[in-house]
DNA sequence: CCATGTGAAGCCTTTCACAGCT
DNA sequence: AGCTGTGAAAGGCTTCACATGG
């Protein structure tokens, strides 16, 4: 859990970080099963990637393995956590308390880690003032002041696409927002220094459907 | 809407398909605003990518643009739809009616397109027999027979990771499942010929958090 | 003998730059 | 003159293969 500097270069790409998160998740499971040693091959097999990929990824962080032996599970876990954990916990605000918003509030990953959803915002006054999965819902109008009050630095946007830019602009007026996790299909524009990550469920589904269409076509015509 | 063959080669990668879906979404909006002509530059600016990327992507589908002019919105939209739409509609079954499952049932994208969630499955008997966003919830036990009965070919898995593999295995016994959209953090193993796409919300959040950590570090030490 | 760490190779994706059509 | 379509260059990512050390 000790938080340390990110080693050497800033050359840890999004892609690599995504895998590091998966490694950490696996290591936590192995840890709880009292496995103390693991090889890059074993990690790769669990996650469906090549062992060389695992070794390359881990080598960016330093030399954590023992040749001929493998990696110490507790050691590697604590090193990964050090890299991935923030310097101090993040407070997250969720904007748009529809079905998806409620689902994310109920998601166990967003309770009490190094990041936490601390409040929700909505325009629907029947929701304002009530609690959802133990988090208060405030009026969207009060968002800028509540962001400052609660130390929120990140917004999760689960509004319809048509209002996503508007709520983000409102949040940005607080001057405290540095990151946005965007679940809407809108392409957000934000000032330099604010990071946006898009999570587009329907695009993922359509990629799957297209792969299935290709399969079907192959079955019908090729071979 | 006319469904046609995927042109030339199967070299449309997941990545390209993801962008094609975004282009189609933008074109639908332009269409509704009676815009009839669009350039690769305009598309790129809307979506935050380079015009050369847009042209390269579209060139895989054929020569749809007019040099010196741009692309016809209705023409390009219908061509993209032809590529992306399935030969016949897909029926989707949702497994695991927790918060996320309910959110996805409520998601407008999963009503009445070329793909549609037609039923949900859960072990919780207080949900079985009831309707959620107009879709029936059946007992998980009955999943294999309902899959056959309803023509389901795709599963959306929104169960806890600990049971995800089990419910997929159960679904596969029907012999009808060819694709899985996996929202759990479990790594699923499936037979050849079954496609899996993982959607991992917490990994996306952690990628954002890591980018923010790097920024913070840069602010503190560099420059 | 086993598994890591890593330069180099191979593969894939994006961007450039310009010929070609309107 | 404007914008597409596209080889070629540049840039990234993954895999190989082997030297290195336990």
């Amino acid at each position: 859990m000790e938080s340390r500097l990110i080693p050497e270069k800033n050359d840890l790409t999004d892609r690599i970080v995504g895998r590091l998160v998966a490694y950490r998740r696996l290591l936590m499971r192995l840890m709880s099963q009292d496995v103390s040693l693991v090889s890059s091959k074993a990690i790769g097999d669990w996650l469906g990637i090549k062992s060389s990929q695992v070794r390359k990824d881990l080598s960016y962080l330093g030399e954590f393995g023992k040749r001929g032996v493998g990696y110490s599970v507790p050691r590697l876990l604590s090193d990964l956590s050090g890299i991935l954990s923030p310097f101090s916990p993040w407070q997250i605000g969720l904007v748009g308390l529809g079905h998806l918003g409620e689902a994310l509030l109920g998601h166990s990953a967003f309770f009490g880690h190094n990041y936490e959803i601390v409040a929700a915002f909505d325009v629907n006054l029947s929701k304002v003032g009530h609690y959802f999965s133990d988090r208060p819902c405030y009026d969207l109008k009060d968002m800028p002041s509540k962001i400052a009050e609660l130390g929120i630095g990140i917004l999760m946007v689960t509004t319809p696409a048509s209002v996503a830019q508007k709520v983000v602009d409102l949040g940005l007026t607080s001057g405290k927002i540095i990151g946005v996790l965007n679940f809407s299909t809108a392409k957000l524009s934000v000032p330099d220094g604010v990071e946006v990550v898009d999570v587009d469920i329907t695009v993922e589904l359509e990629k799957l459907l297209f792969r299935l269409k290709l399969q079907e076509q192959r079955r019908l015509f090729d071979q």
Side-chain angles (χ1 to χ4, degrees), chain A:
Chain A
M1 274 304 138
E2 130 253 18
S3 198
R4 37 117 106 203
L5 290 188
I6 293 117
E8 299 173 11
K9 300 192 176 178
N10 298 346
D11 55 8
L12 294 180
T13 61
D14 246 34
R15 215 158 239 261
I16 298 172
V17 172
R19 286 191 300 265
L20 295 181
V21 171
Y23 302 156
R24 185 180 52 177
R25 200 147 60 196
L26 174 60
L27 287 166
M28 279 166 27
R29 207 173 70 226
L30 293 176
M31 191 79 167
S32 75
Q33 293 165 1
D34 289 315
V35 178
S36 62
L37 216 59
V38 70
S39 69
S40 59
K41 173 103 177 30
I43 294 175
D45 288 348
W46 275 110
L47 300 177
I49 57 186
K50 287 240 146 70
S51 65
S52 54
Q53 178 80 83
V54 176
R55 292 199 300 280
K56 187 61 110 200
D57 288 342
L58 295 180
S59 75
Y60 293 121
L61 315 179
E63 307 203 1
F64 292 159
K66 276 200 177 36
R67 292 169 194 235
V69 180
Y71 300 88
S72 150
V73 171
R75 172 82 201 290
L76 187 55
L77 177 55
S78 100
D79 283 317
L80 274 178
S81 293
I83 307 283
L84 296 173
S85 297
F87 294 119
S88 56
W90 299 108
Q91 324 305 134
I92 305 173
L94 187 143
V95 200
L97 203 33
H99 279 106
L100 181 58
E102 278 200 60
L104 294 174
L105 283 180
H107 200 300
S108 60
F110 302 119
F111 274 108
H113 285 65
N114 291 311
Y115 48 87
E116 190 163 22
I117 301 178
V118 295
F121 301 95
D122 205 296
V123 287
N124 184 337
L125 294 178
S126 73
K127 291 180 174 167
V128 170
H130 292 89
Y131 279 70
F132 296 80
S133 297
D134 292 330
R135 273 69 132 247
C137 177
Y138 300 114
D139 194 328
L140 185 70
K141 283 202 307 282
D142 302 326
M143 186 163 64
S145 61
K146 287 291 176 187
I147 285 172
E149 186 185 321
L150 299 171
I152 290 173
I154 296 167
L155 292 182
M156 289 180 52
V157 177
T158 54
T159 65
S162 52
V163 297
Q165 183 68 57
K166 256 175 275 187
V167 302
V168 168
D169 289 343
L170 179 63
L172 289 169
T173 63
S174 70
K176 303 288 184 185
I177 297 301
I178 58 174
V180 177
L181 195 63
N182 175 32
F183 288 86
S184 85
T185 55
K187 168 74 192 171
L188 299 175
S189 48
V190 295
D192 280 359
V194 177
E195 299 276 343
V196 177
V197 167
D198 297 310
V199 180
D200 198 321
I201 291 167
T202 57
V203 168
E204 295 309 312
L205 176 61
E206 299 241 21
K207 284 182 190 172
L208 173 63
L209 296 180
F210 185 77
R211 297 220 296 246
L212 296 175
K213 183 181 182 182
L214 274 186
Q215 269 196 13
E216 201 174 1
Q217 176 168 316
R218 234 173 281 131
R219 234 175 288 128
L220 290 171
F221 297 95
D222 293 11
Q223 188 241 51

